[in-house]
Amino acid sequence: VNTNEQRSENSGRVWLVGAGPGDPGLVTLRAVEALARADVVLYDRLANEELLARAPASALRLFAGKKPGRHAMTQDAINAALVEHALAGRRVVRLKGGDPFVFGRGGEEAEALRAAGVPFEIVPGVTSAIAGAAYAGIPVTHREVASSFAVVTGHEDPARAATRVDWAALAQGPDTLVILMGVGNLAEIADRLLAGGRAAETPAAIVEQATTPRQRTIVATLGSLARVAAEQQATSPALLIVGEVVRLRERLAWFERRPLFGKRVLVTRTREQSSGLK
Ligand code: SAH
């Protein structure tokens, strides 16, 4: 037996796990397995809290926060906690919304683990960029409508000029654009795409809280997007989808059309039954 391997068997390890976009059914078997064996779960705001119930009752649950502008833990503190618990021999699940490597800073956490010599595994997740569109009845590609898509951040770090989004190139490039973290900058994003040559009549959709019972989809055009979003008071978390594929929603919307969608269902039950029926 390789002694190094033996040591990593016995010592702690971190799983960087995608929690999916919101609906707790959209999580992988591997994620559930990792949770079931966790000693520590460090989770984000966008990770569905119902998934936490999959961890043993004895597991330590730590909230990492990440409300825009209001972090419960800084990224450095998150990295340090992952390293510390793993080096103490614990199995740590880092639960992140969607996919950990799609605007989830999973790569940075993996680098910190690597630097500290902590073994880690990546459990990819269902990203909101694709699943959220699907729940709104919008396929990101469609034969003869869109043969490419790009997933883009709408919230740039001004300090990182090297990776600045080239909106003019995107205006001419991929057929479908899926913009995450863009709700606060809708007017500017639309202006830049229009300036880059995307037609004002290009359909655009905002999908709020996709895959959850609070999902709401707002449809506009690139030209009317900022006005319609303001009228409808679009709020985060939401996806912005720009491209001809948005038109397919007229025929393919399904989630919001299920019989009980958006209804409040009152179920009376005794306190003893409550957790099982939740
Ligand atoms: N790693 C995540 C993305 C993290 S960035 C993923 O793969 O999905 C956070 C952004 O993702 C939010 O600002 C929003 O744009 C988007 N997002 C995440 N969950 C969402 C949801 N349920 N509905 C709509 N947008 C969502």
Side-chain angles (χ1 to χ4, degrees):
V1 176
N2 175 318
T3 46
N4 268 336
E5 236 168 55
Q6 203 172 33
R7 199 177 58 204
S8 60
E9 263 309 296
N10 299 335
S11 69
R13 180 179 289 254
V14 174
W15 284 260
L16 296 173
V17 176
D23 179 339
L26 296 178
V27 73
T28 65
L29 293 174
R30 184 64 49 81
V32 173
E33 280 165 22
L35 280 165
R37 300 177 62 233
D39 300 310
V40 179
V41 183
L42 209 122
Y43 63 101
D44 278 352
R45 182 178 62 102
L46 287 178
N48 190 305
E49 294 200 16
E50 266 183 56
L51 292 176
L52 295 179
R54 299 287 190 155
S58 59
L60 180 63
R61 289 158 169 80
L62 299 172
F63 179 55
K66 291 255 173 105
K67 229 184 170 94
R70 245 193 58 216
H71 294 191
M73 281 171 87
T74 64
Q75 189 64 48
D76 284 346
I78 292 169
N79 295 352
L82 295 176
V83 167
E84 186 189 308
H85 285 293
L87 290 181
R90 300 184 189 112
R91 288 183 301 260
V92 183
V93 167
R94 173 71 175 110
L95 194 59
K96 305 167 83 69
D99 181 276
F101 278 7
V102 177
F103 299 120
R105 302 187 76 165
E108 288 170 53
E109 292 173 12
E111 282 182 319
L113 295 167
R114 164 88 212 180
V118 171
F120 62 85
E121 295 181 22
I122 312 296
V123 183
V126 173
T127 180
S128 66
I130 296 172
Y135 266 55
I138 302 170
V140 291
T141 69
H142 193 72
R143 205 153 56 94
E144 291 177 8
V145 178
S147 54
S148 58
F149 65 92
V151 180
V152 185
T153 175
H155 177 87
E156 291 184 90
D157 183 342
R160 299 221 174 88
T163 58
R164 185 160 294 156
V165 176
D166 185 344
W167 293 101
L170 285 171
Q172 301 289 335
D175 296 320
T176 305
L177 302 177
V178 182
I179 297 145
L180 305 188
M181 300 173 281
V183 180
N185 293 330
L186 285 174
E188 198 186 337
I189 291 167
D191 281 352
R192 291 199 185 189
L193 291 173
L194 291 167
R198 266 289 154 131
E201 54 279 9
T202 309
I206 296 165
V207 189
E208 291 172 347
Q209 305 204 51
T211 81
T212 78
R214 293 167 305 284
Q215 176 172 314
R216 180 171 73 135
T217 305
I218 300 166
V219 176
T221 62
L222 203 50
S224 67
L225 180 68
R227 177 179 53 79
V228 173
E231 279 167 12
Q232 306 272 323
Q233 303 185 346
T235 50
S236 172
L239 310 168
L240 168 61
I241 306 162
V242 177
E244 293 300 323
V245 288
V246 169
R247 287 189 211 282
L248 287 157
R249 171 175 163 78
E250 285 169 28
R251 298 198 299 276
L252 303 186
W254 60 276
F255 185 57
E256 298 114 327
R257 292 187 186 164
R258 292 186 313 170
L260 292 179
F261 182 87
K263 305 263 192 303
R264 280 162 186 251
V265 180
L266 184 69
V267 180
T268 58
R269 73 278 196 265
T270 64
R271 181 176 287 272
E272 293 71 47
Q273 289 177 302
S274 74
S275 61
L277 287 174
K278 190 162 163 267

